[in-house]
């Protein structure tokens, strides 16, 4: 059989199909797992075939957000994995067939030349691309790229809600998605997850916390199935804990934190990330987004999710089990580790990230997050309980507020205030915000409270009560929340 037929065969391999239900089937927990790898089948005679040890399996990859922090580290990891294949240490080789960026045309061009990429996409329609690859430009360019290339894997690393249409397209086409863009599930998990299950698309987490939890859950299925998101976790799991470094303001006096400068907020003590994610880490909105994403990846409700401050950033997730034991995933704070696992799963290969040196670990500290210092975590729990379009509002308002802070339009302490005001004033889902368990979540950081009636009178706000049921409605609600946030600056 010709090697060129292998990508087509691999698309129907049980390892490709795990994590989502077959089209037209009713989802069950068992359907969202897979057993041990089955042999490939020759399509002509359905006879089992084995691959020779020397055979290289090629995977075609599109990287959305290739010029950002996760995107550049993904390309670095792909170069490392291909070098392993050249040295005979791996049977996987990755071909980058498409790259997408927002505005950084020069770096996109450089990447396309380095990896001989045949297709590129640039969201900015006004920038000329001097590149031999076929190019798409404009707002819909990333989605066009995914539909044109039909790769084996899409790395979704575009910042914010901009990557949502392209990620939905990948799910619709049954393409595996290495998910770094948490905003996709926060804003539209109710659309992405059912679509991924129907089409057989797996959501392989790149966020270190979700990757860590995914690794903790392996081996908990009684029949040894592989557990692949989106999935239902085994009932033995009682709580999933995501860790957080605490950011640069973990011990800063709250009054000082409210007036922190952009430079102070960007000085993360352990992780190297883009500006938006770094500010989200400082407010802990980042952890709130991760809680909501975990709800969709693993079908966990708010009562089965937890957060612990862990300043060393060595333990990334903890699975608490009903038998009294816990399983934790530990590694150095290097995003190339979860990126590589998402690319090579279920295989594990020598990594390009530093190995954890147990001899240098003198302490691992854990504390509960202070709700006064980090009210965003409480808001995220309420978003999970509320459902509907609350996640869309949470994410959109935060993106506007973070950009306003980076532009030095608002002080640091206003970011979470604006997010809560949007959630309080835009009724989505079935439960009014002030009737949730425990009542409306009050802002801390010493801010004055504003009632919904007062805020609506000031902004002339018109509520949008219905839950968004299509991509267009999600984008409309997203625009509505952004408009409200801008009016609140």
């Amino acid at each position: 059989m010709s090697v060129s037929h292998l990508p087509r065969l691999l698309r129907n391999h049980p390892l490709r199909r795990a994590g989502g239900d077959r089209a037209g089937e009713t989802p069950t927990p068992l359907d969202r797992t897979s057993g041990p790898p089955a042999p490939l089948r020759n399509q002509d005679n359905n006879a089992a075939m084995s691959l020779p040890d020397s055979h290289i399996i090629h995977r075609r990859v599109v990287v959305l957000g290739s010029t950002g922090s996760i995107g550049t580290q993904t390309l670095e990891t792909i170069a490392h994995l291909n070098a392993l294949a050249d040295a005979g240490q791996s049977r996987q080789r990755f071909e980058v067939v498409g790259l997408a960026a927002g505005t950084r045309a020069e770096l996109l061009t450089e990447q396309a030349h380095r990896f001989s990429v045949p297709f590129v996409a640039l969201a900015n329609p006004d920038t000329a691309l001097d590149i031999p690859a076929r190019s798409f430009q404009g707002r819909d360019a990333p989605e066009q790229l995914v539909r044109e290339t039909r790769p084996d894997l899409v790395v979704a690393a575009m910042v914010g809600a901009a990557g949502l249409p392209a990620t939905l397209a990948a799910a619709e086409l049954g393409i595996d998605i290495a998910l770094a863009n948490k905003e996709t599930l926060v804003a539209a998990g109710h659309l992405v997850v059912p679509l991924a299950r129907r089409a057989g698309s797996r959501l392989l987490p790149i966020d270190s916390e979700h990757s860590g939890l995914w690794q903790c859950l392996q081996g908990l299925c009684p029949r040894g199935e592989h557990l692949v998101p989106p999935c239902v976790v085994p009932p033995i799991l009682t709580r999933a804990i995501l860790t957080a470094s605490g950011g640069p303001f973990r011990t800063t006096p709250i009054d000082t934190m409210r007036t922190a400068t952009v430079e102070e907020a960007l000085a993360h003590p352990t992780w190297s990330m883009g500006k938006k994610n770094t500010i989200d880490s400082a407010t802990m909105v980042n952890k709130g987004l991760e809680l909501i994403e975990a709800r969709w990846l693993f079908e966990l409700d708010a009562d089965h999710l937890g957060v612990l401050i862990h300043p060393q950033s060595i333990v990334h997730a903890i699975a608490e089990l009903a038998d009294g034991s816990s399983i934790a995933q530990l590694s150095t704070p290097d995003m190339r580790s979860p990126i590589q696992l998402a690319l090579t799963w279920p295989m594990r290969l020598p990594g390009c990230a530093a190995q954890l040196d147990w001899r240098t670990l003198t302490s691992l500290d854990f504390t509960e997050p202070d709700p006064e210092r980090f009210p965003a975590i409480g808001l995220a729990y309420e978003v999970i309980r509320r459902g509907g379009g609350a996640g869309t509002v949470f994410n959109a308002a935060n993106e506007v507020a973070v950009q306003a802070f980076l532009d030095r339009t608002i002080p640091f302490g206003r970011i979470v205030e604006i997010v809560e005001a949007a959630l309080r004033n835009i009724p989505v889902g079935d439960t009014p915000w002030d009737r949730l368990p425990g009542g409306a979540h009050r802002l801390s950081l010493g801010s004055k409270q504003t009632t919904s009636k007062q805020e609506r009178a000031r902004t002339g706000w018109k509520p949008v009560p219905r839950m968004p049921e299509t991509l267009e409605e999600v984008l409309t609600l997203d625009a509505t929340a952004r408009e409200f946030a801008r009016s609140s600056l």
Side-chain angles (χ1 to χ4, degrees):
M1 186 187 70
S2 153
V3 171
S4 63
H5 292 150
L6 282 168
R8 182 180 61 191
L9 284 176
L10 288 173
R11 295 190 64 80
N12 293 319
H13 191 264
L15 286 181
R16 270 207 47 84
R17 303 296 297 180
D21 306 309
R22 279 59 166 174
E25 293 182 355
T26 302
T28 67
L30 184 58
D31 286 336
R32 298 171 209 170
T33 61
S34 68
L40 289 172
R41 297 276 173 179
N42 187 309
Q43 290 182 330
D44 296 329
N45 56 22
N46 203 37
M49 57 173 257
S50 60
L51 298 176
D53 290 341
S54 61
H55 185 84
I56 298 295
I57 299 173
H58 292 264
R59 297 203 76 191
R60 301 169 67 253
V61 180
V62 162
V63 182
L64 305 176
S66 67
T67 60
S69 175
I70 295 297
T72 55
Q73 291 180 84
T74 296
L75 293 177
E76 181 182 344
T77 303
I78 285 175
H80 163 75
L81 292 171
N82 285 345
L84 291 181
D86 291 341
Q89 299 180 46
S90 167
R91 297 173 62 199
Q92 294 189 49
R93 175 173 292 281
F94 297 86
E95 178 190 0
V96 183
V97 296
L99 298 173
T103 58
R104 302 176 67 183
E106 185 175 343
L107 180 54
L108 178 66
T109 301
E110 178 186 321
Q111 292 173 337
H113 282 297
R114 178 186 175 194
F115 288 90
S116 302
V117 178
F119 296 89
V120 297
L122 188 68
N124 186 346
D126 302 321
T127 303
L129 287 171
D130 182 17
I131 188 171
R134 181 179 173 188
S135 62
F136 305 96
Q137 288 190 250
R139 180 179 178 180
D140 298 330
E143 180 184 356
Q144 290 177 289
L145 175 68
V146 170
R147 294 189 181 279
E148 178 67 27
T149 56
R150 305 261 177 141
D152 300 304
L153 178 70
V154 168
V155 178
M158 297 186 77
V159 176
L164 177 55
T167 306
L168 267 173
E172 175 193 330
L173 295 170
I175 298 168
D176 284 348
I177 301 167
L179 191 61
N181 178 312
K182 58 183 68 67
E183 293 89 348
T184 292
L185 291 186
V186 171
H190 62 292
L191 298 181
V192 176
V193 169
L195 188 59
R197 286 181 177 143
R198 286 196 299 270
S201 173
R202 301 180 301 187
L203 305 179
L204 310 172
I206 282 181
D207 261 340
S208 59
E209 295 80 6
H210 302 109
S211 178
L213 180 57
W214 179 32
Q215 294 173 66
C216 290
L217 295 175
Q218 300 307 317
L220 295 183
C221 293
R223 291 189 293 177
E225 303 96 337
H226 290 284
L227 203 64
V228 193
C231 59
V232 176
V233 298
I236 191 68
L237 181 78
T238 56
R239 189 167 68 135
I241 299 173
L242 309 181
T243 64
S245 69
F249 304 133
R250 178 172 58 90
T251 59
T252 303
I254 290 177
D255 288 342
T256 304
M257 178 180 172
R258 278 189 58 79
T259 58
T261 66
V262 171
E263 291 73 23
E264 290 169 337
L266 288 174
H268 198 283
T270 53
W271 290 100
S272 175
M273 303 176 289
K275 288 185 178 181
K276 195 266 182 184
N277 285 341
T278 304
I279 300 302
D280 283 348
S281 179
T283 61
M284 290 281 275
V285 166
N286 192 49
K287 205 54 50 181
L289 295 170
E290 289 171 7
L291 286 170
I292 301 167
E293 184 181 6
R295 174 261 179 274
W296 289 111
L297 287 173
F298 303 105
E299 287 203 10
L300 292 165
D301 60 30
D303 295 331
H304 290 85
L305 287 165
V307 173
L308 285 175
I309 301 292
H310 170 53
Q312 291 87 2
S313 297
I314 297 296
V315 177
H316 303 294
I318 303 168
E320 290 184 344
L321 308 181
D323 64 1
S325 61
S326 295
I327 300 174
Q329 189 272 331
L330 293 77
S331 63
T332 55
D334 190 325
M335 287 304 301
R336 293 174 298 178
S337 291
I339 289 170
Q340 178 167 315
L341 183 62
L343 291 171
T344 64
W345 188 90
M347 299 181 185
R348 285 186 181 265
L349 300 172
C352 53
Q355 181 72 36
L356 185 63
D357 187 352
W358 288 87
R359 296 167 298 180
T360 64
L361 290 180
T362 57
S363 65
L364 296 173
D365 303 311
F366 302 92
T367 58
E368 290 277 356
D370 179 1
E372 245 194 285
R373 182 181 301 278
F374 299 121
I377 294 178
L379 291 178
Y381 281 122
E382 301 298 357
V383 166
I384 294 172
R385 293 188 176 102
R386 186 181 186 187
T392 307
V393 174
F394 182 88
N395 177 70
N398 178 65
E399 287 190 21
V400 170
V402 168
Q403 189 58 53
F405 171 68
L406 289 171
D407 293 340
R408 305 177 194 272
T409 303
I410 62 171
F412 181 82
R414 278 289 290 155
I415 296 174
V416 179
E417 293 178 0
I418 290 171
V419 173
E420 192 205 25
L423 286 166
R424 189 185 292 272
N425 286 279
I426 304 176
V428 289
D430 297 328
T431 308
W433 186 252
D434 57 358
R435 294 183 186 174
L436 288 166
H441 190 86
R442 291 181 62 85
L443 286 172
S444 55
L445 299 179
S447 64
K448 293 183 178 180
Q449 302 300 308
T450 304
T451 67
S452 297
K453 186 176 181 181
Q454 291 170 332
E455 189 73 16
R456 288 172 184 161
R458 185 177 71 81
T459 61
W461 195 246
K462 302 295 184 183
V464 182
R466 192 166 65 83
M467 176 177 173
E469 297 176 354
T470 65
L471 174 59
E472 290 72 22
E473 291 181 358
V474 168
L475 295 177
T476 297
L477 180 58
D478 177 272
T480 297
R482 290 173 190 275
E483 181 185 346
F484 176 88
R486 283 190 289 268
S487 74
S488 303
L489 296 178

